[in-house]
């Protein structure tokens, strides 16, 4: 079966951030029409866990990070077509009303050419290195981290990896905050309201048949946390979504696809009964671990491409 992953779904080309990487709303509408026309069978996360109604043409739609796009542009179309989606968002968005660093990085990259961002990043790394923080040279980090993937070039990957995981956490926060305020906006509170769903949106969507997963509290790379840190992160997320997810039967959507055997054992003990990864593959229920469910990207399907046909 096919499990499709979505992030931003909005009118991108007409927005203030036309370089943000996501799916145009009109393409999402076309994609749903394509899946229906080609005889795909839309299933729920509960169906996936039970494995009873799954076929080669079953498809599950998953939406990460809790963007307002999912309430405004996705939910109405799913509801109209009696389709259930799985929506996973970090708890910090709701509880602290702060823009996640991962999203700050997205919008920094959408506002300024990547070469200019890399130059600003290098200068800040040089400024902070050796004072309070100790870390590799710029060249050493670049040579180790700048490896392009399916959707990003070397420089973009480097910027993401440095600011998401490689630098000391407090320094990542400092530099990301500085770049966000300089290049995007200094009104973070207003940006939160523009970017994310609220708990009221979530409750309404759940009432109308949408499903929700845990995406951590702080959108950390889970496989880089200690067991104690991971437990704290999950406990905070479960507390935020109390009444939205069942405490002993929930899906863990790993931020950045960052799972490990230790992560799986921990979330399993804490009530997770399945896990959504970012490994690129069709999902074969009899072969894949239920805690390592692979997903294809929305860009692997029409109208963006026919890449989905290349996976087996």
């Amino acid at each position: 079966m096919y499990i499709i992953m979505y992030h931003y779904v909005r009118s991108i080309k007409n927005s203030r951030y036309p370089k943000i990487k996501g799916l145009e709303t009109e393409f999402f509408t076309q994609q749903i029409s394509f899946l229906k026309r080609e005889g795909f069978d839309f299933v729920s996360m509960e169906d996936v866990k039970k494995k009873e109604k799954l076929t080669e043409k079953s498809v599950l739609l998953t939406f990460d990070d809790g963007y307002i796009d999912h309430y405004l542009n996705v939910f109405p179309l799913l509801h109209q077509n009696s389709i259930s989606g799985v929506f996973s968002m970090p708890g910090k968005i709701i509880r602290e009303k702060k823009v996640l660093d991962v999203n700050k990085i997205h919008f920094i990259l959408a506002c300024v050419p990547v070469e200019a961002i890399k130059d600003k990043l290098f200068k800040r790394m040089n400024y902070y290195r050796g004072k309070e923080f100790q870390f590799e040279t710029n060249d050493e980090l670049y040579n180790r981290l700048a490896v392009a993937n399916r959707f990003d070039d070397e420089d973009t990957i480097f910027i993401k990896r440095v600011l998401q995981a490689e630098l000391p956490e407090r320094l990542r926060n400092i530099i990301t905050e500085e770049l966000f305020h300089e290049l995007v906006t200094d009104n973070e509170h207003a940006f939160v309201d523009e970017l994310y769903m609220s708990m009221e949106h979530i409750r309404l969507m759940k009432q109308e048949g949408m499903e929700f997963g845990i995406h951590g509290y702080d959108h950390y790379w889970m496989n880089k946390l200690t067991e104690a840190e991971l437990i704290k992160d999950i406990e905070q997320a479960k507390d935020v979504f109390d009444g939205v997810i069942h405490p002993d039967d929930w899906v863990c959507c790993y931020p950045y696809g960052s799972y490990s055997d230790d992560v799986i054992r921990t979330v399993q003990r804490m009530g997770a009964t399945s896990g959504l990864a970012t490994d690129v593959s069709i999902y074969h229920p009899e072969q894949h671990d239920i805690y390592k469910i692979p997903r294809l990207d929305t860009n692997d399907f029409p109208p963006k491409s026919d890449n989905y046909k290349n996976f087996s």
Side-chain angles (χ1 to χ4, degrees), residues 19-272:
K19 293 184 179 180
I20 201 75
K21 291 188 176 181
L23 187 69
E24 292 281 351
T25 305
E26 63 182 293
F27 291 163
F28 178 66
T29 301
Q30 292 173 30
Q31 195 161 94
I32 297 299
S33 297
F34 163 79
L35 293 169
K36 291 175 63 178
R37 186 173 64 250
E38 295 299 315
F40 285 87
D41 176 33
F42 295 96
V43 298
S44 68
M45 191 67 219
E46 193 62 27
D47 294 327
V48 173
K49 288 190 286 189
K50 290 180 178 178
K51 302 182 181 181
E52 293 175 356
K53 301 192 299 184
L54 304 182
T55 69
E56 290 184 357
K57 297 205 77 172
S58 293
V59 61
L60 174 70
L61 309 184
T62 67
F63 303 85
D64 293 5
D65 295 342
Y67 303 124
I68 191 67
D69 310 16
H70 301 163
Y71 178 75
L72 296 177
N73 303 327
V74 170
F75 170 54
L77 188 62
L78 297 190
H79 187 258
Q80 177 185 338
N81 287 277
S82 300
I83 299 169
S84 174
V86 181
F87 299 82
S88 305
M89 61 190 292
K92 188 175 184 178
I93 294 169
I94 300 296
R95 176 152 294 169
E96 299 185 35
K97 296 289 185 180
K98 292 183 178 179
V99 180
L100 297 171
D101 279 1
V102 63
N103 296 132
K104 289 178 180 177
I105 296 165
H106 289 166
F107 284 92
I108 290 167
L109 288 165
C111 287
V112 181
V114 68
E115 281 291 338
I117 299 169
K118 187 174 72 169
D119 182 61
K120 291 176 180 292
L121 177 57
F122 277 162
K123 288 178 180 177
R124 282 171 167 81
M125 289 163 63
N126 287 335
Y127 174 79
Y128 286 109
R129 184 186 291 106
K131 293 182 170 63
E132 177 183 350
F133 305 100
Q134 303 296 327
F135 52 94
E136 296 170 79
T137 68
N138 295 350
D139 287 343
E140 287 170 337
L141 282 167
Y142 189 84
N143 291 336
R144 181 164 60 85
L145 300 175
V147 180
N149 67 13
R150 290 207 299 159
F151 301 117
D152 289 321
D153 62 28
E154 291 89 346
D155 285 348
T156 301
I157 286 292
F158 170 73
I159 292 166
K160 287 182 176 180
R161 293 294 179 263
V162 163
L163 293 178
Q164 289 171 356
E166 291 296 328
L167 294 180
E169 181 180 1
R170 199 167 78 80
L171 181 56
R172 298 199 308 264
N173 297 155
I174 290 170
I175 294 178
T176 301
E177 185 85 353
E178 289 177 352
L179 292 173
F180 183 74
H181 284 175
E182 176 187 348
L183 302 175
V184 184
T185 180
D186 59 3
N187 190 344
E188 186 170 342
H189 184 76
F191 202 85
V192 167
D193 291 336
E194 285 184 27
L195 185 58
Y196 301 121
M197 292 192 288
S198 68
M199 185 56 76
E200 290 71 24
H201 297 143
I202 292 167
R203 291 194 178 108
L204 174 61
M205 291 167 67
K206 181 175 174 62
Q207 179 182 318
E208 296 300 327
M210 301 300 118
E211 300 173 287
F212 287 85
I214 292 290
H215 205 35
Y217 179 80
D218 221 319
H219 205 275
Y220 286 129
W221 290 69
M222 290 184 173
N223 59 358
K224 294 182 180 292
L225 299 178
T226 65
E227 182 179 18
E229 289 169 339
L230 177 58
I231 289 171
K232 179 182 177 181
D233 188 72
I234 296 296
E235 284 179 341
Q236 286 180 295
K238 289 178 67 177
D239 185 58
V240 170
F241 293 106
D242 182 38
V244 176
I245 61 111
H246 191 290
D248 299 314
D249 184 6
W250 49 275
V251 56
C252 185
C253 182
Y254 311 110
Y256 310 107
S258 57
Y259 68 84
S260 67
D261 289 343
D262 287 340
V263 168
I264 290 171
R265 280 191 288 268
T266 299
V267 300
Q268 189 173 17
R269 289 200 310 271
M270 299 182 73

